[in-house]
PDB file of all heavy atoms in Angstrom:
ATOM      1  N   LEU A  11      45.214 -23.931  37.524  1.00 92.00           N
ATOM      2  CA  LEU A  11      44.714 -23.230  38.701  1.00 92.00           C
ATOM      3  C   LEU A  11      45.835 -22.888  39.696  1.00 92.00           C
ATOM      4  O   LEU A  11      45.890 -21.771  40.213  1.00 92.00           O
ATOM      5  CB  LEU A  11      43.670 -24.071  39.416  1.00 92.00           C
ATOM      6  CG  LEU A  11      42.441 -24.470  38.590  1.00 92.00           C
ATOM      7  CD1 LEU A  11      41.548 -25.425  39.366  1.00 92.00           C
ATOM      8  CD2 LEU A  11      41.639 -23.226  38.181  1.00 92.00           C
ATOM      9  N   VAL A  15      56.343 -25.546  41.176  1.00 84.00           N
ATOM     10  CA  VAL A  15      57.434 -25.828  40.220  1.00 84.00           C
ATOM     11  C   VAL A  15      58.751 -26.037  40.988  1.00 84.00           C
ATOM     12  O   VAL A  15      59.130 -25.249  41.838  1.00 84.00           O
ATOM     13  CB  VAL A  15      57.597 -24.665  39.230  1.00 84.00           C
ATOM     14  CG1 VAL A  15      58.786 -24.867  38.343  1.00 84.00           C
ATOM     15  CG2 VAL A  15      56.321 -24.497  38.407  1.00 84.00           C
ATOM     16  N   VAL A  33      38.365 -30.737  38.251  1.00 96.00           N
ATOM     17  CA  VAL A  33      39.688 -30.416  38.780  1.00 96.00           C
ATOM     18  C   VAL A  33      40.523 -31.701  38.752  1.00 96.00           C
ATOM     19  O   VAL A  33      40.101 -32.740  39.212  1.00 96.00           O
ATOM     20  CB  VAL A  33      39.639 -29.886  40.208  1.00 96.00           C
ATOM     21  CG1 VAL A  33      41.036 -29.667  40.771  1.00 96.00           C
ATOM     22  CG2 VAL A  33      38.876 -28.536  40.239  1.00 96.00           C
ATOM     23  N   GLU A  76      62.422 -44.323  24.409  1.00 68.00           N
ATOM     24  CA  GLU A  76      62.006 -44.643  23.025  1.00 68.00           C
ATOM     25  C   GLU A  76      61.599 -43.412  22.243  1.00 68.00           C
ATOM     26  O   GLU A  76      61.626 -43.415  21.010  1.00 68.00           O
ATOM     27  CB  GLU A  76      60.809 -45.641  23.066  1.00 68.00           C
ATOM     28  CG  GLU A  76      61.190 -47.006  23.530  1.00 68.00           C
ATOM     29  CD  GLU A  76      61.303 -47.132  25.031  1.00 68.00           C
ATOM     30  OE1 GLU A  76      60.706 -46.246  25.730  1.00 68.00           O
ATOM     31  OE2 GLU A  76      61.964 -48.024  25.509  1.00 68.00           O
ATOM     32  N   PRO A  80      57.514 -35.556  25.207  1.00 91.00           N
ATOM     33  CA  PRO A  80      56.841 -35.789  26.460  1.00 91.00           C
ATOM     34  C   PRO A  80      55.503 -36.497  26.222  1.00 91.00           C
ATOM     35  O   PRO A  80      54.817 -36.228  25.220  1.00 91.00           O
ATOM     36  CB  PRO A  80      56.626 -34.413  27.045  1.00 91.00           C
ATOM     37  CG  PRO A  80      57.593 -33.540  26.333  1.00 91.00           C
ATOM     38  CD  PRO A  80      57.757 -34.136  24.967  1.00 91.00           C
ATOM     39  N   TRP A  84      51.150 -42.344  32.731  1.00 95.00           N
ATOM     40  CA  TRP A  84      50.069 -43.029  33.366  1.00 95.00           C
ATOM     41  C   TRP A  84      49.008 -42.001  33.861  1.00 95.00           C
ATOM     42  O   TRP A  84      49.289 -40.823  33.986  1.00 95.00           O
ATOM     43  CB  TRP A  84      50.521 -43.864  34.565  1.00 95.00           C
ATOM     44  CG  TRP A  84      51.420 -43.171  35.578  1.00 95.00           C
ATOM     45  CD1 TRP A  84      52.756 -43.218  35.655  1.00 95.00           C
ATOM     46  CD2 TRP A  84      51.000 -42.329  36.655  1.00 95.00           C
ATOM     47  NE1 TRP A  84      53.232 -42.453  36.705  1.00 95.00           N
ATOM     48  CE2 TRP A  84      52.160 -41.896  37.335  1.00 95.00           C
ATOM     49  CE3 TRP A  84      49.756 -41.884  37.116  1.00 95.00           C
ATOM     50  CZ2 TRP A  84      52.106 -41.097  38.450  1.00 95.00           C
ATOM     51  CZ3 TRP A  84      49.699 -41.056  38.247  1.00 95.00           C
ATOM     52  CH2 TRP A  84      50.870 -40.646  38.888  1.00 95.00           C
ATOM     53  N   HIS A 124      26.591 -17.770  47.737  1.00 93.00           N
ATOM     54  CA  HIS A 124      26.104 -18.106  49.082  1.00 93.00           C
ATOM     55  C   HIS A 124      26.128 -16.920  50.032  1.00 93.00           C
ATOM     56  O   HIS A 124      25.496 -16.944  51.086  1.00 93.00           O
ATOM     57  CB  HIS A 124      26.922 -19.238  49.669  1.00 93.00           C
ATOM     58  CG  HIS A 124      26.743 -20.572  48.995  1.00 93.00           C
ATOM     59  ND1 HIS A 124      27.298 -20.893  47.775  1.00 93.00           N
ATOM     60  CD2 HIS A 124      26.020 -21.648  49.400  1.00 93.00           C
ATOM     61  CE1 HIS A 124      26.964 -22.129  47.453  1.00 93.00           C
ATOM     62  NE2 HIS A 124      26.181 -22.588  48.398  1.00 93.00           N
ATOM     63  N   TRP A 138      48.886 -32.943  49.571  1.00 89.00           N
ATOM     64  CA  TRP A 138      49.782 -33.017  50.746  1.00 89.00           C
ATOM     65  C   TRP A 138      49.596 -31.818  51.693  1.00 89.00           C
ATOM     66  O   TRP A 138      50.165 -31.785  52.764  1.00 89.00           O
ATOM     67  CB  TRP A 138      51.254 -33.090  50.298  1.00 89.00           C
ATOM     68  CG  TRP A 138      51.731 -31.954  49.471  1.00 89.00           C
ATOM     69  CD1 TRP A 138      52.127 -30.718  49.890  1.00 89.00           C
ATOM     70  CD2 TRP A 138      51.882 -31.926  48.052  1.00 89.00           C
ATOM     71  NE1 TRP A 138      52.490 -29.927  48.850  1.00 89.00           N
ATOM     72  CE2 TRP A 138      52.345 -30.669  47.677  1.00 89.00           C
ATOM     73  CE3 TRP A 138      51.629 -32.862  47.042  1.00 89.00           C
ATOM     74  CZ2 TRP A 138      52.617 -30.280  46.358  1.00 89.00           C
ATOM     75  CZ3 TRP A 138      51.881 -32.496  45.712  1.00 89.00           C
ATOM     76  CH2 TRP A 138      52.348 -31.222  45.385  1.00 89.00           C
ATOM     77  N   THR A 147      40.843 -26.137  60.783  1.00 97.00           N
ATOM     78  CA  THR A 147      39.360 -26.300  60.717  1.00 97.00           C
ATOM     79  C   THR A 147      38.811 -26.705  62.076  1.00 97.00           C
ATOM     80  O   THR A 147      37.795 -26.163  62.542  1.00 97.00           O
ATOM     81  CB  THR A 147      39.004 -27.385  59.671  1.00 97.00           C
ATOM     82  OG1 THR A 147      39.430 -26.932  58.358  1.00 97.00           O
ATOM     83  CG2 THR A 147      37.507 -27.623  59.650  1.00 97.00           C
ATOM     84  N   ILE A 173      38.465 -29.304  51.178  1.00 98.00           N
ATOM     85  CA  ILE A 173      39.851 -28.919  50.931  1.00 98.00           C
ATOM     86  C   ILE A 173      40.200 -27.612  51.613  1.00 98.00           C
ATOM     87  O   ILE A 173      41.345 -27.147  51.499  1.00 98.00           O
ATOM     88  CB  ILE A 173      40.128 -28.787  49.418  1.00 98.00           C
ATOM     89  CG1 ILE A 173      39.263 -27.680  48.790  1.00 98.00           C
ATOM     90  CG2 ILE A 173      39.953 -30.128  48.718  1.00 98.00           C
ATOM     91  CD1 ILE A 173      39.680 -27.277  47.365  1.00 98.00           C
ATOM     92  N   ALA A 185      47.811  -5.267  64.333  1.00 90.00           N
ATOM     93  CA  ALA A 185      47.993  -4.666  65.679  1.00 90.00           C
ATOM     94  C   ALA A 185      49.330  -3.986  65.800  1.00 90.00           C
ATOM     95  O   ALA A 185      50.329  -4.338  65.206  1.00 90.00           O
ATOM     96  CB  ALA A 185      47.867  -5.754  66.737  1.00 90.00           C
ATOM     97  N   LEU A 243      51.443 -14.721  76.685  1.00 94.00           N
ATOM     98  CA  LEU A 243      51.059 -13.390  77.149  1.00 94.00           C
ATOM     99  C   LEU A 243      52.300 -12.515  77.439  1.00 94.00           C
ATOM    100  O   LEU A 243      52.318 -11.328  77.106  1.00 94.00           O
ATOM    101  CB  LEU A 243      50.199 -13.491  78.428  1.00 94.00           C
ATOM    102  CG  LEU A 243      48.774 -13.956  78.193  1.00 94.00           C
ATOM    103  CD1 LEU A 243      48.077 -14.221  79.518  1.00 94.00           C
ATOM    104  CD2 LEU A 243      47.987 -12.958  77.348  1.00 94.00           C
ATOM    105  N   ASP A 277      61.110 -27.853  52.156  1.00 72.00           N
ATOM    106  CA  ASP A 277      61.819 -27.570  53.412  1.00 72.00           C
ATOM    107  C   ASP A 277      60.938 -27.548  54.633  1.00 72.00           C
ATOM    108  O   ASP A 277      61.405 -27.399  55.743  1.00 72.00           O
ATOM    109  CB  ASP A 277      62.541 -26.184  53.286  1.00 72.00           C
ATOM    110  CG  ASP A 277      63.614 -26.187  52.217  1.00 72.00           C
ATOM    111  OD1 ASP A 277      64.010 -27.275  51.761  1.00 72.00           O
ATOM    112  OD2 ASP A 277      64.062 -25.094  51.841  1.00 72.00           O
ATOM    113  N   ARG A 289      59.033 -10.632  48.892  1.00 59.00           N
ATOM    114  CA  ARG A 289      58.330  -9.340  48.809  1.00 59.00           C
ATOM    115  C   ARG A 289      59.060  -8.397  47.861  1.00 59.00           C
ATOM    116  O   ARG A 289      58.423  -7.573  47.196  1.00 59.00           O
ATOM    117  CB  ARG A 289      58.233  -8.701  50.193  1.00 59.00           C
ATOM    118  CG  ARG A 289      57.305  -9.417  51.141  1.00 59.00           C
ATOM    119  CD  ARG A 289      57.123  -8.660  52.452  1.00 59.00           C
ATOM    120  NE  ARG A 289      56.460  -9.479  53.418  1.00 59.00           N
ATOM    121  CZ  ARG A 289      57.067 -10.198  54.324  1.00 59.00           C
ATOM    122  NH1 ARG A 289      58.388 -10.165  54.410  1.00 59.00           N
ATOM    123  NH2 ARG A 289      56.397 -10.950  55.165  1.00 59.00           N
ATOM    124  N   GLY A 291      60.841  -9.336  45.294  1.00 65.00           N
ATOM    125  CA  GLY A 291      60.752  -9.814  43.937  1.00 65.00           C
ATOM    126  C   GLY A 291      61.787 -10.817  43.483  1.00 65.00           C
ATOM    127  O   GLY A 291      61.706 -11.303  42.338  1.00 65.00           O
ATOM    128  N   MET A 303      68.024 -21.441  58.776  1.00 72.00           N
ATOM    129  CA  MET A 303      67.344 -20.289  59.362  1.00 72.00           C
ATOM    130  C   MET A 303      66.018 -20.697  60.027  1.00 72.00           C
ATOM    131  O   MET A 303      65.628 -20.173  61.079  1.00 72.00           O
ATOM    132  CB  MET A 303      67.089 -19.210  58.297  1.00 72.00           C
ATOM    133  CG  MET A 303      68.381 -18.554  57.794  1.00 72.00           C
ATOM    134  SD  MET A 303      68.048 -17.370  56.490  1.00 72.00           S
ATOM    135  CE  MET A 303      69.733 -16.851  56.052  1.00 72.00           C
TER     136      MET A 303
END
Side-chain angles (χ1 to χ4, degrees):
L11 300 174
V15 174
V33 175
E76 290 79 21
W84 51 262
H124 290 77
W138 59 81
T147 297
I173 63 168
L243 286 172
D277 297 344
R289 290 186 192 96
M303 291 176 183

